[in-house]
Amino acid sequence: QVKFSPKQRLDESPPSRVLHIRKLPNEVSETEVIALGLPFGKVTNILMLKGKNQAFLELGTEEAAVTMVNYYTAVTPQVRNTPVFIQYSNHKELKTDSALNQRAQAVLQAVSAVQDGSSPSSDPGVLDLTPPPSPVLRIIIDNMFYPVTLDVLQQIFSKFGTVMKIITFTKNNQFQALLQFSDPVNAQQAKLSLDGQNIYNSCCTLRIDFSKLVNVNVKYNNDKSRDYTRPDLPTGDGESTNKDHSLLGAISPLSAAAAAAAAAGRVALSGSGVSGVLLASNLNEEVHKPWVYGDVQRVKILYNKKDSALIQLSDGNQAQLAMSHLNGQKVFGKVMRVTLSKHQTVALPREGLDDQLLTKDFSGSPLHRFKKPGSKNFQNIFPPSATLHLSNIRDGVGEDDLRLLFSNSGGTVKAFKFFQDRKMALIQMSSVEEGIQALMDLHNYDMGGNHHLKVSFSKSTI
């Protein structure tokens, strides 16, 4: 092979859709080299010369290659922050030994599948000056009615490649994150697959863009930021690694692993891998009432521990939601504990064996709020609050009637406000505990004329 100086080489080799790339850093992967060409059009082949720190990249058309070379004459191409040299090759196409090149072919297929699904414009002219995207994604989470943790993000995004660093923060009252992959191609694939997806049913929508940053600087490893390449980093002064930074304020922090498992099961992947059964304990033994965070299918009060119950909901999502909102809440004077149970279902006793009526099947209950898939009700799930949202109020029922009804449930009504159509209202009790109590007593209260009052927690204040 004749050695040319770069200058002479550029002049002598006419344009070709095969490009010769030199001075690549050691250990560089096919994907990183392909990423240089992706913004300019389809990459159809690649040959890595590992020992020489060189590669040949074949693009779909000569125009795409010309655009790429012109772009990189103005902007120095970089791989792993190292400048590399790109020029036309003498070869007009790459003939590669398919056995040797299997890995490269697999990478190409994966990348082109993502590309095909993504941009309707295959015209290389349109893409002409897009620089290769950054390995860093900026993620914003909309409709965040449910806490999303750093572990959840790591588990979802690592399906697409190695996640190196994550920083989470709140900006403009929105939960946001910067997430850095080891490779821009992985970032591109994650963005194409996940942008616009919901992490949980009907909530926590991912909005994903490339960040202007190409590298994220992480100082501390804790629940807000993590550098997976540097496990030795400190947690930061007084930063508890267990602070819950969701927008929901004080919700008992979910077990991160359980939340991550639930989320990873949610996003564009198969169903949630979390049991739909909860163990609730430290309950007041006199009182067992329906729930608001999911459709309760069965409840079993434990025979030898009457202050505990197994509660089966429709799915792992609802169980997660109920657990995060209800664990640690005060109900009938006692602080309730809620955890995920190891049981997958609550078994019904054989006929005649449940003489104390401790197990009950609610699967046909008219009280279920979330029967319809993607139900709007999922978007109105809020943590327990002193302010309650009332709906389905019967015509002719006034403020005084409702104030009376709610103060009879053993609390004090602080404020009340009808919505315009008077079918809905907000009512504020004097504490969260009173709010929980009133909801349990009065949700589905029969107002006559087939009107059952619907009561839910509200994020509004009066």
Side-chain angles (χ1 to χ4, degrees):
Q1 203 181 358
V2 192
K3 293 264 191 297
F4 295 100
S5 80
K7 240 323 168 238
Q8 182 190 358
R9 179 69 191 262
L10 270 174
D11 298 340
E12 289 193 14
S13 293
S16 155
R17 68 194 183 100
V18 180
L19 300 176
H20 182 202
I21 303 172
R22 298 177 302 122
K23 298 260 172 87
L24 287 164
N26 293 333
E27 304 304 314
V28 73
S29 71
E30 281 93 345
T31 342
E32 287 166 280
V33 177
I34 292 171
L36 288 168
L38 272 186
F40 305 96
K42 205 166 182 65
V43 175
T44 46
N45 210 341
I46 180 172
L47 175 64
M48 302 285 282
L49 307 175
K50 288 273 159 87
K52 293 183 162 173
N53 298 68
Q54 299 184 7
F56 288 97
L57 194 66
E58 178 188 280
L59 279 90
T61 62
E62 193 171 294
E63 298 86 277
V66 172
T67 309
M68 177 168 162
V69 169
N70 291 347
Y71 177 75
Y72 285 129
T73 2
V75 175
T76 310
Q78 294 205 338
V79 174
R80 297 198 180 184
N81 299 333
T82 317
V84 297
F85 293 86
I86 298 181
Q87 59 214 32
Y88 299 118
S89 160
N90 292 333
H91 306 285
K92 284 293 171 208
E93 63 179 320
L94 277 184
K95 292 201 171 51
T96 51
D97 176 333
S98 60
L100 280 175
N101 216 28
Q102 261 177 334
R103 171 156 169 217
Q105 292 307 317
V107 172
L108 275 169
Q109 271 178 328
V111 170
S112 61
V114 167
Q115 268 194 313
D116 292 346
S118 69
S119 77
S121 116
S122 52
D123 172 6
V126 176
L127 283 165
D128 80 1
L129 291 184
T130 330
S134 153
V136 180
L137 296 175
R138 189 197 59 181
I139 301 156
I140 293 178
I141 297 186
D142 280 345
N143 305 327
M144 184 152 153
F145 304 139
Y146 192 58
V148 171
T149 62
L150 184 139
D151 301 87
V152 169
L153 293 174
Q154 192 268 339
Q155 199 158 348
I156 292 168
F157 281 83
S158 55
K159 301 264 181 236
F160 296 88
T162 308
V163 173
M164 295 172 74
K165 303 172 188 177
I166 306 179
I167 291 180
T168 62
F169 52 95
T170 301
K171 186 176 175 188
N172 309 333
N173 278 336
Q174 269 184 320
F175 178 84
Q176 302 197 12
L178 290 174
L179 183 144
Q180 180 172 347
F181 278 103
S182 55
D183 190 313
V185 170
N186 302 132
Q188 186 176 40
Q189 290 173 344
K191 177 180 184 301
L192 290 171
S193 301
L194 295 178
D195 188 27
Q197 295 278 0
N198 292 335
I199 298 183
Y200 301 111
N201 258 346
S202 314
C203 73
C204 302
T205 310
L206 291 161
R207 303 272 171 242
I208 303 173
D209 279 305
F210 286 108
S211 168
K212 302 279 184 289
L213 301 170
V214 288
N215 190 21
V216 174
N217 182 27
V218 175
K219 291 200 183 71
Y220 303 117
N221 280 341
N222 54 35
D223 67 334
K224 291 198 173 56
S225 63
R226 200 151 313 155
D227 185 336
Y228 294 94
T229 62
R230 297 196 49 206
D232 53 310
L233 286 175
T235 59
D237 5 28
E239 277 284 295
S240 95
T241 43
N242 200 15
K243 273 223 302 260
D244 182 34
H245 52 271
S246 80
L247 303 187
L248 291 171
I251 285 182
S252 23
L254 263 173
S255 128
R266 256 308 142 213
V267 173
L269 308 163
S270 61
S272 149
V274 171
S275 138
V277 179
L278 296 170
L279 172 64
S281 53
N282 203 27
L283 304 171
N284 184 309
E285 290 180 29
E286 280 69 81
V287 205
H288 297 103
K289 273 282 190 163
W291 287 39
V292 280
Y293 291 110
D295 296 338
V296 173
Q297 302 297 322
R298 293 177 182 170
V299 176
K300 177 179 192 146
I301 293 159
L302 302 191
Y303 182 80
N304 49 3
K305 203 167 179 304
K306 298 274 196 306
D307 73 343
S308 299
L310 288 172
I311 296 150
Q312 180 182 336
L313 291 117
S314 299
D315 60 31
N317 251 16
Q318 295 183 357
Q320 285 288 349
L321 210 51
M323 177 173 81
S324 75
H325 285 335
L326 293 174
N327 183 32
Q329 292 290 352
K330 214 166 172 199
V331 181
F332 296 110
K334 294 179 75 171
V335 174
M336 175 162 65
R337 293 277 155 249
V338 184
T339 56
L340 286 170
S341 162
K342 57 183 185 300
H343 296 281
Q344 292 299 310
T345 56
V346 171
L348 288 172
R350 290 205 296 281
E351 293 251 330
L353 287 184
D354 188 11
D355 50 359
Q356 295 194 1
L357 302 175
L358 295 179
T359 307
K360 198 151 181 202
D361 185 63
F362 292 102
S363 50
S365 163
L367 300 185
H368 288 173
R369 302 173 183 232
F370 306 109
K371 279 201 287 273
K372 296 192 194 76
S375 158
K376 262 284 197 288
N377 291 344
F378 263 114
Q379 298 176 22
N380 297 319
I381 295 180
F382 301 108
S385 53
T387 304
L388 301 171
H389 179 273
L390 315 181
S391 58
N392 209 23
I393 298 170
R394 192 181 171 183
D395 284 348
V397 173
E399 176 174 340
D400 292 347
D401 305 312
L402 289 164
R403 277 179 177 267
L404 184 64
L405 184 63
F406 277 77
S407 43
N408 281 348
S409 77
T412 311
V413 175
K414 288 279 203 204
F416 181 93
K417 182 172 132 205
F418 264 122
F419 285 67
Q420 260 176 324
D421 63 0
R422 297 182 71 86
K423 288 195 173 53
M424 297 198 286
L426 291 175
I427 191 162
Q428 186 181 339
M429 308 303 289
S430 61
S431 69
V432 173
E433 194 182 352
E434 284 187 9
I436 295 174
Q437 174 99 40
L439 181 140
M440 289 168 71
D441 286 348
L442 294 169
H443 175 59
N444 217 44
Y445 172 82
D446 187 352
M447 304 184 82
N450 213 3
H451 271 267
H452 288 85
L453 183 65
K454 300 278 176 266
V455 184
S456 50
F457 296 124
S458 170
K459 67 173 197 298
S460 314
T461 48
I462 304 176

